[in-house]
Amino acid sequence: MKLHWSPRSPFVRKVMIAAHELGLAGRIETVRTVVRMGMPHAGLLRDNPLSKIPTLVLEDGRVLFDSLTIIEYLDAQAGGGRLFPAGPARWDALTRHALGNGLLDLLVLWRNERDKPPAAQTTEWMSSFTVRTEASLDHLEREAPHLGGSSFGIGHIAIGCALSYLDFRFADLSWRTGRPALAAWHKGFAARPSARATEAADD
Amino acid sequence: MKLHWSPRSPFVRKVMIAAHELGLAGRIETVRTVVRMGMPHAGLLRDNPLSKIPTLVLEDGRVLFDSLTIIEYLDAQAGGGRLFPAGPARWDALTRHALGNGLLDLLVLWRNERDKPPAAQTTEWMSSFTVRTEASLDHLEREAPHLGGSSFGIGHIAIGCALSYLDFRFADLSWRTGRPALAAWHKGFAARPSARATEAADD
């Protein structure tokens, strides 16, 4: 399997954490593919016309994306049901995933906006990003005991990657302040071998 | 079930089309909730800290999002496997969904950027939006025979909603030009009772 990959994409990291958790990392050939908001990647466009990573190309040529699709595929290759709980717990896990992933979407947009010249920034967007990020973190602080009390899976991966991305790109937000339960949960996440093997690197 | 809803959100429309296809539309109480990129919605923030729609509140108070999570939940309530094929076809369906949904994400961003004062627009973004949208539409034109040949499901819903959103907000793109197979497929999509019952309205 060939994965369009970057060491700094939090969405790619979700896939690689899942691969490590499932014992499949050795079967994935990573190909460095750099994409930016304003610069589509010609080679990647052939596999994924949205020019987004992660994108997985299977041995038979079939192409899978986005990160959630790829992770559920890998989970099935490893026997199924390891990162996706069955029964009613599935909807909580998928909603947690949507929260972590949606927070990442928001943070990536925020970073793009923040890096523009001040005259090109939209004030209401910046303020909306702040409100929604703080609300998400407060929600997760209340959710932290349930995160710790449920089997590690797709929701934990997305939330862990979002918090680590805050450390990587938004250290000034000091997200741990006033959120001791979430900080403690993230400490356990970051210590997992799958998380340690996939830490973002600024290069 | 209470759904945070808007008549113009293509992501909400995905859920409502699914509900109609599954015979569950009558069980959903829609609540008009207006969200904009720069304006979080105070009431919605309590249910979904990302302030995004659709968000579904169940009778027991549990909250589900995003649209994909809600649709798979509704599918399960209707017996399961109706909008999500089993086996290897699942990955194709989820990838089609990711393409339609990713195209919608891109189009919503594009619209936000396009509506800014010219001095605040980022030229490379606008050009990237064009390249990726055209690449996605060309990909879908090649895919159209397979769309028509597979059982209607989650992938078709996302792609159909993305094409209808192009008609609604990007009529100037004339996406049908040079894409007769995709145009024919969309005609069939738009004629389904579920699509007719959920057409976007500018009000």
Side-chain angles (χ1 to χ4, degrees):
Chain A
M1 298 182 274
K2 184 182 86 175
L3 183 71
H4 289 287
W5 174 94
S6 145
R8 291 178 290 186
S9 159
F11 302 100
V12 166
R13 190 184 185 204
K14 285 169 55 191
V15 167
M16 292 308 299
I17 287 180
H20 280 280
E21 293 283 341
L22 297 165
L24 295 175
R27 285 177 48 193
I28 295 176
E29 175 202 355
T30 56
V31 179
R32 177 83 184 251
T33 303
V34 176
V35 294
R36 282 206 302 273
M37 187 78 155
M39 198 180 67
H41 184 288
L44 177 57
L45 276 172
R46 282 193 294 270
D47 287 330
N48 178 344
L50 295 171
S51 188
K52 291 175 86 170
I53 55 173
T55 293
L56 185 70
V57 183
L58 302 183
E59 304 297 338
D60 64 6
R62 274 187 305 150
V63 177
L64 305 187
F65 56 93
D66 55 8
S67 59
L68 181 63
T69 301
I70 295 172
I71 294 173
E72 194 173 350
Y73 171 79
L74 294 177
D75 188 71
Q77 298 309 109
R82 289 178 51 186
L83 299 174
F84 292 78
R90 180 174 176 92
W91 319 120
D92 291 337
L94 288 176
T95 297
R96 278 182 190 148
H97 171 269
L99 177 54
N101 208 65
L103 182 55
L104 277 173
D105 281 334
L106 184 162
L107 293 172
V108 168
L109 271 184
W110 190 355
R111 179 166 175 250
N112 273 292
E113 194 71 17
R114 184 185 66 178
D115 291 352
K116 288 180 185 174
Q121 290 177 8
T122 305
T123 318
E124 313 85 73
W125 286 30
M126 301 291 278
S127 134
S128 163
F129 292 144
T130 305
V131 168
R132 293 155 67 204
T133 299
E134 295 292 329
S136 297
L137 291 168
D138 289 342
H139 176 99
L140 288 169
E141 171 69 8
R142 294 189 295 273
E143 179 94 346
H146 306 289
L147 284 177
S150 54
S151 173
F152 188 82
I154 184 64
H156 304 77
I157 292 174
I159 290 167
C161 286
L163 296 175
S164 294
Y165 188 76
L166 281 167
D167 286 334
F168 185 45
R169 298 295 194 193
F170 290 85
D172 52 305
L173 281 189
S174 304
W175 66 264
R176 289 175 182 80
T177 305
R179 299 183 186 107
L182 188 59
W185 177 80
H186 180 259
K187 197 172 175 184
F189 165 82
R192 295 178 79 90
S194 63
R196 296 176 59 107
T198 56
E199 274 167 19
D202 224 338
D203 59 358
Chain B
M1 298 182 275
K2 184 183 86 176
L3 183 72
H4 289 288
W5 174 94
S6 146
R8 291 178 291 186
S9 159
F11 301 100
V12 166
R13 190 183 185 205
K14 285 169 56 192
V15 167
M16 293 308 298
I17 286 179
H20 280 279
E21 293 283 341
L22 296 165
L24 294 174
R27 284 176 49 194
I28 295 176
E29 175 202 355
T30 55
V31 179
R32 178 81 186 251
T33 303
V34 177
V35 295
R36 280 206 302 272
M37 186 78 155
M39 199 181 66
H41 184 287
L44 177 57
L45 277 172
R46 283 192 293 272
D47 287 329
N48 178 345
L50 295 172
S51 187
K52 291 174 86 170
I53 55 174
T55 293
L56 184 70
V57 183
L58 303 183
E59 304 298 337
D60 64 7
R62 274 187 305 151
V63 177
L64 305 187
F65 55 94
D66 54 7
S67 59
L68 181 62
T69 301
I70 294 172
I71 294 172
E72 195 173 349
Y73 171 79
L74 294 177
D75 189 71
Q77 298 309 109
R82 290 180 49 188
L83 299 174
F84 292 78
R90 180 173 176 90
W91 319 121
D92 291 336
L94 288 176
T95 298
R96 278 182 190 149
H97 171 268
L99 177 55
N101 208 65
L103 181 56
L104 277 173
D105 282 334
L106 184 162
L107 293 171
V108 169
L109 272 184
W110 189 355
R111 178 165 176 252
N112 273 291
E113 195 71 17
R114 183 186 67 177
D115 291 352
K116 289 179 183 175
Q121 290 178 7
T122 306
T123 318
E124 312 87 73
W125 285 30
M126 300 290 278
S127 137
S128 163
F129 291 145
T130 304
V131 168
R132 294 155 69 202
T133 299
E134 295 294 328
S136 297
L137 291 168
D138 290 342
H139 175 99
L140 288 169
E141 172 69 9
R142 293 190 295 273
E143 179 93 347
H146 307 289
L147 284 177
S150 55
S151 173
F152 189 83
I154 184 65
H156 304 76
I157 291 174
I159 290 167
C161 286
L163 296 175
S164 294
Y165 189 75
L166 281 168
D167 286 333
F168 186 45
R169 297 294 194 193
F170 290 85
D172 52 307
L173 282 190
S174 303
W175 67 265
R176 288 174 183 80
T177 305
R179 300 186 185 104
L182 188 59
W185 176 81
H186 181 259
K187 197 171 174 185
F189 165 83
R192 295 178 80 91
S194 62
R196 295 176 60 106
T198 57
E199 274 167 20
D202 224 337
D203 58 0

